[in-house]
Amino acid sequence: MLKPDSFAFRYAEPLPYMLLDSMGWQSASSGSYGNKGLKRTDHGHVIFQYTLSGEGIIEMEGQTHTLQEGKAFMVKIPSSHHYYYAGGQGKPWEFVWLNAKGEDAVRMWDRILARRGPIVSLQNESQPVARFWELYRAVAVERIYESAPLSQLLYGFMLSLLAPDTSIAPGPESHPIIKKAKDYMKYHYARNLSLEDIASQCGISRSYLCRLFQHKEGISPLEFLRRRRVE
């Protein structure tokens, strides 16, 4: 099952394609969390950060944006921006993030920013979010650390941000996680299944599985299981 963690990568030699520098899934609950784009030393990098729950703040170009659930920001290093946790509603700010580098990364990021702007709204089932979790799973679960396969997944993530349908969620039956969860419950409905069992089978957290089902099906996974048992 996926769980919060962070990963950083170092490469022995320069490589002629975009590279994953670091990525993670974390929560901030202290006012000490924050980053200023003009004070960072990782120049030539690009950052994607997507809010899962709670809220954060980003200041850029003279404007202040609240980063609530489903909001992502995309910035380059260096640039004039400041993102931080401000204790919104007293809840931790839970988010995932990705840091990439290389000429290809910067070049593609410029195109993405020109097309979408630095602040975007993304559904949990959108292609960019799904591509992020695919990359995160490759690192956290499959323990893939080689540059080439990671960069291949990174290119897929970048291209999903450029695709015209990135904000359009697939239908319920076409979403691979929902299909996998449904199939598992259909064939194992007689067992004493818990949310933890179903989420673990799908390689995701219980909270993400519930949000996904509620959004796409309008019911919880356990309600789907109950109806399956009645049938």
Side-chain angles (χ1 to χ4, degrees):
M1 184 180 72
L2 295 179
K3 59 183 181 180
D5 207 341
S6 60
F7 307 89
F9 305 89
R10 299 295 176 263
Y11 305 95
E13 57 183 282
L15 294 166
Y17 43 82
M18 75 171 68
L19 297 167
L20 181 62
D21 178 83
S22 55
M23 71 183 310
W25 173 7
Q26 69 184 87
S27 294
S29 56
S30 166
S32 64
Y33 174 80
N35 279 290
K36 294 184 177 181
L38 294 178
K39 291 188 175 182
R40 297 180 63 139
T41 59
D42 50 344
H43 291 190
H45 291 223
V46 300
I47 295 173
F48 169 88
Q49 188 158 308
Y50 175 73
T51 299
L52 299 175
S53 62
E55 63 181 44
I57 300 292
I58 187 167
E59 299 173 355
M60 58 193 330
E61 299 176 353
Q63 294 185 328
T64 299
H65 304 271
T66 301
L67 301 165
Q68 298 174 322
E69 180 178 347
K71 287 281 188 180
F73 69 80
M74 301 181 290
V75 295
K76 295 168 61 177
I77 306 296
S79 64
S80 180
H81 65 265
H82 179 205
Y83 58 92
Y84 54 92
Y85 173 72
Q89 300 178 354
K91 297 180 180 179
W93 181 22
E94 184 185 12
F95 53 85
V96 293
W97 54 272
L98 178 153
N99 183 322
K101 63 182 179 179
E103 291 183 6
D104 275 3
V106 174
R107 187 181 304 113
M108 192 170 288
W109 212 240
D110 284 338
R111 294 183 63 188
I112 293 168
L113 289 173
R115 180 184 180 87
R116 303 181 66 88
I119 308 294
V120 294
S121 295
L122 297 170
Q123 298 180 25
N124 283 328
E125 303 80 21
S126 66
Q127 283 299 311
V129 176
R131 291 283 189 171
F132 174 90
W133 287 119
E134 182 182 5
L135 182 53
Y136 189 89
R137 185 175 294 108
V139 174
V141 178
E142 300 171 24
R143 303 297 180 186
I144 297 174
Y145 303 133
E146 294 82 6
S147 61
L150 287 182
S151 291
Q152 183 178 8
L153 292 170
L154 181 58
Y155 275 97
F157 167 76
M158 294 284 198
L159 288 170
S160 73
L161 287 167
L162 278 173
D165 61 344
T166 53
S167 295
I168 301 175
E173 292 300 331
S174 65
H175 195 286
I177 292 177
I178 284 186
K179 185 177 186 306
K180 188 171 184 178
K182 282 185 173 181
D183 288 345
Y184 182 68
M185 287 186 279
K186 285 176 182 178
Y187 290 108
H188 299 281
Y189 66 89
R191 293 175 52 189
N192 186 24
L193 296 178
S194 66
L195 269 178
E196 184 76 25
D197 295 328
I198 303 166
S200 178
Q201 184 69 20
C202 297
I204 58 175
S205 69
R206 291 181 300 173
S207 59
Y208 181 62
L209 178 67
C210 287
R211 288 199 299 268
L212 195 59
F213 254 82
Q214 288 288 357
H215 180 75
K216 301 300 294 179
E217 301 291 322
I219 59 174
S220 70
L222 292 183
E223 175 61 18
F224 174 87
L225 178 60
R226 187 192 69 80
R227 294 181 185 181
R228 174 60 179 166
R229 285 169 173 163
V230 170
E231 290 173 5

